[in-house]
Amino acid sequence: MALDILGVSDLEVWRYGQALRQLAKDHGCDHVRFLRLVNLLGGEKSDEPINEEEYLKAAPLFRDELLARYLSEGFDADAHIAKDADITLTYRGYIKFLETDLANQGEGGETKAQMNKRYEATAKLSIHASTEKNKLSMAVIPQVGRSSTPWHAALVRAVDGSITMSHSGSVPALTHELIFDREGRPSYFRERSDLFNWPGMDVEFNYLYPTGIVITPRDPGTKYSFHHVHMQKVRALSEACSPVILRGFTDTTDQHTFEAKAYDAGTVQPWTFGIRQSVKDAMNPDPKASTVTSTEAMPMHYDGFFFLKKEMVDGVEKMVSKVPRFQYFTAITPSPPGDGMTLFASSRLFFQHLPAPYTLSELEKLKWDCKHSSNWNNHMTDLPLVVRHPTNNQPCIRWHEPWYKWQTQFSTNEIRISNGEQHYKELIREMLYDRRVCLYFNFEQGDILVADNVSMMHTRTAFTPGTGRELWRIHFN
């Protein structure tokens, strides 16, 4: 139908469909099933063209049969636009193509009835706005602002990874550059920034969903030493789009190099055990031990919450958290797929997807208390739920997930909202684990990861004992 509606050839449609199928395969989307026109006519797998030559012969026949079978005689596009709200919204999405689009879509009542009968056990999803009565609208691209379909506009990324859609001709070359994939195909426009300029290294930057960016040598056969990486650029990128992962570099598990690069990134914050912690299963069953060095899942939190020091606050001596600005990891071993995943929740996305009627101003007023069962039995009170980022002044969520005896054999913590309703706790939990907000990440051996410990919350899922999962971690300011 794309040939009739958009002037796109059958050959391009075939190549587009094959590329989508390969994309799903490459990303392990095993539950995505693709249909062709033959399926709408009642054919199943045995009838689907198996190669380009067969498809090009069959496509015109399938289109003619589809229109002959489903398009009502005397179909009036104008009348259907006027009386059917869903068609009106689709029409507005395709406004440039006017009646041709609607006529050849066959959006008449008979067509919808036939399609619904053919796939009666399925829900109809649509990329267009709708009344939500006959179909469910969804965004193919997690874009900010006005929604556009990806085949009517180009994808434009800001440095922080956020996406807008725009016609390619309207994207200014002075502020954005066109990015190509490894096959040399134009992929998207990216905001220009010196953070993407790495002299002496030909690297590529691939954004993760919903947050984060992976930096790799463009040629997989090229090996750059981590020793030569510009850590101030990594640090700045992590403030914009955490976490930042360096993959495919050498010397990343060398202890001297790993520690030296921490000092290149900022002022290292030591702990009681020194500057570097080995995060692995210590096989210590003592209830006073830490979940960090166990195989258990951990609560969503930010680092440094329990690194307490005495300070005078408004003339009163209090125990205050000394929260480091950044986390810095290297993966000594890989994390088995789906096991021991590290989760990173973005404050920017938390507030972007905050559901109505909740608002940022409402959450900024909330404070919370934490009572921890550790040997110091510390009770921390009137902690702000939202703080402002020290660099960009953006709102950042500050929270420690409640953790109960049934969840752990180690320390527990009791959390309560001190100046509001307790139902906020469930809202916060749901938002922090929301897939639109939270990155579910598996380390590969040798990965370097830097995350902003102010704008991001994080946790770890449980992993199988005996797998030997090990990370090194340093904090810096």
Side-chain angles (χ1 to χ4, degrees):
M1 306 301 286
L3 175 61
D4 304 304
I5 298 172
L6 306 176
V8 178
S9 70
D10 289 334
L11 177 59
E12 283 301 303
V13 172
W14 166 262
R15 291 173 177 172
Y16 179 70
Q18 292 303 101
L20 288 179
R21 288 162 171 77
Q22 187 62 46
L23 188 65
K25 182 178 179 180
D26 291 344
H27 289 273
C29 300
D30 301 325
H31 300 291
V32 176
R33 178 187 173 199
F34 293 89
L35 301 178
R36 296 195 190 277
L37 287 177
V38 64
N39 302 115
L40 301 180
L41 297 172
E44 296 298 337
K45 289 185 178 179
S46 59
D47 300 304
E48 181 171 342
I50 60 174
N51 56 47
E52 179 183 301
E53 183 179 1
E54 285 189 15
Y55 178 83
L56 294 179
K57 288 181 179 178
L61 302 178
F62 290 150
R63 281 199 304 276
D64 291 343
E65 177 61 23
L66 186 69
L67 293 176
R69 186 180 300 187
Y70 294 139
L71 187 62
S72 303
E73 184 176 352
F75 174 75
D76 187 338
D78 290 332
H80 280 75
I81 291 172
K83 72 179 183 179
D84 190 311
D86 282 337
I87 293 181
T88 302
L89 291 168
T90 302
Y91 165 77
R92 289 171 179 169
Y94 276 93
I95 193 71
K96 291 177 65 176
F97 306 106
L98 302 177
E99 289 90 349
T100 304
D101 177 16
L102 273 294
N104 287 320
Q105 281 187 50
E107 285 271 14
E110 180 184 347
T111 303
K112 288 191 286 189
Q114 292 290 341
M115 296 301 180
N116 290 337
K117 183 178 180 180
R118 178 75 181 92
Y119 295 103
E120 60 184 358
T122 62
K124 183 179 180 182
L125 304 180
S126 174
I127 59 170
H128 299 292
S130 73
T131 62
E132 307 290 336
K133 180 180 179 181
N134 299 311
K135 58 184 180 181
L136 301 176
S137 297
M138 61 175 289
V140 178
I141 303 294
Q143 54 196 284
V144 177
R146 184 176 61 87
S147 178
S148 299
T149 53
W151 36 89
H152 290 155
L155 189 148
V156 183
R157 280 197 183 269
V159 174
D160 66 7
S162 58
I163 297 171
T164 55
M165 303 296 290
S166 176
H167 288 284
S168 59
S170 64
V171 181
L174 287 177
T175 58
H176 292 77
E177 57 183 324
L178 182 58
I179 303 300
F180 295 83
D181 64 19
R182 288 189 173 180
E183 283 70 41
R185 297 172 299 198
S187 183
Y188 66 95
F189 291 93
R190 186 182 67 201
E191 182 182 3
R192 292 186 183 274
S193 171
D194 188 54
L195 298 178
F196 300 118
N197 179 27
W198 288 33
M201 294 184 183
D202 185 17
V203 294
E204 60 182 14
F205 302 82
N206 291 300
Y207 286 96
L208 299 175
Y209 178 82
T211 184
I213 189 167
V214 179
I215 305 170
T216 58
R218 191 175 305 279
D219 179 0
T222 301
K223 300 298 182 183
Y224 299 117
S225 173
F226 176 48
H227 177 75
H228 299 298
V229 169
H230 196 309
M231 291 301 289
Q232 289 297 314
K233 290 191 175 184
V234 174
R235 172 189 174 122
L237 271 175
S238 74
E239 287 188 314
C241 187
S242 274
V244 175
I245 298 102
L246 277 64
R247 179 169 291 169
F249 292 79
T250 63
D251 305 316
T252 57
T253 59
D254 175 76
Q255 181 177 336
H256 175 75
T257 301
F258 178 66
E259 293 181 357
K261 297 303 286 183
Y263 287 96
D264 284 352
T267 302
V268 172
Q269 178 168 310
W271 292 71
T272 55
F273 49 76
I275 68 166
R276 177 180 61 84
Q277 182 175 25
S278 178
V279 182
K280 63 180 181 179
D281 182 15
M283 294 180 284
N284 183 359
D286 186 345
K288 295 181 180 179
S290 172
T291 55
V292 175
T293 51
S294 75
T295 62
E296 284 189 357
M298 297 176 63
M300 188 71 79
H301 66 286
Y302 55 95
D303 280 357
F305 181 70
F306 293 117
F307 186 32
L308 304 172
K309 288 193 173 182
K310 292 181 179 180
E311 285 189 6
M312 298 299 294
V313 180
D314 298 327
V316 179
E317 187 178 80
K318 284 190 175 183
M319 297 294 288
V320 178
S321 299
K322 304 301 291 184
V323 179
R325 284 289 313 282
F326 297 92
Q327 299 173 289
Y328 167 52
F329 292 94
T330 188
I332 303 303
T333 66
S335 298
D339 203 23
M341 301 184 77
T342 306
L343 279 55
F344 294 93
S346 163
S347 290
R348 175 177 63 84
L349 297 174
F350 180 102
F351 292 111
Q352 179 180 317
H353 296 292
L354 189 66
Y358 300 104
T359 63
L360 168 60
S361 60
E362 176 184 357
L363 268 56
E364 281 187 306
K365 298 173 185 176
L366 295 180
K367 295 185 180 296
W368 54 285
D369 299 342
C370 174
K371 188 172 185 179
H372 196 260
S373 69
S374 65
N375 54 358
W376 65 81
N377 197 31
N378 193 60
H379 187 194
M380 303 172 70
T381 61
D382 292 328
L383 301 165
L385 179 61
V386 180
V387 300
R388 290 288 170 167
H389 195 278
T391 299
N392 55 36
N393 200 42
Q394 293 301 304
C396 299
I397 195 79
R398 298 283 79 185
W399 185 245
H400 195 294
E401 184 179 1
W403 215 239
Y404 305 108
K405 288 183 178 180
W406 60 267
Q407 293 175 289
T408 180
Q409 68 177 29
F410 302 107
S411 298
T412 61
N413 55 275
E414 182 180 327
I415 304 294
R416 64 180 295 273
I417 303 295
S418 59
N419 66 339
E421 300 292 334
Q422 300 309 305
H423 66 76
Y424 287 108
K425 293 192 293 185
E426 183 62 20
L427 168 72
I428 296 166
R429 188 193 68 80
E430 289 183 357
M431 289 304 301
L432 288 174
Y433 286 95
D434 191 311
R435 289 280 185 163
R436 298 169 300 169
V437 172
C438 185
L439 171 70
Y440 288 63
F441 180 73
N442 268 113
F443 277 96
E444 294 186 11
Q445 187 170 16
D447 279 354
I448 291 289
L449 184 147
V450 175
D452 188 322
N453 190 47
V454 178
S455 67
M456 308 295 290
M457 300 282 293
H458 68 281
T459 186
R460 180 198 68 213
T461 63
F463 61 96
T464 306
T467 56
R469 180 185 186 274
E470 180 179 4
L471 308 174
W472 288 350
R473 185 192 66 192
I474 294 176
H475 292 104
F476 63 86
N477 291 305

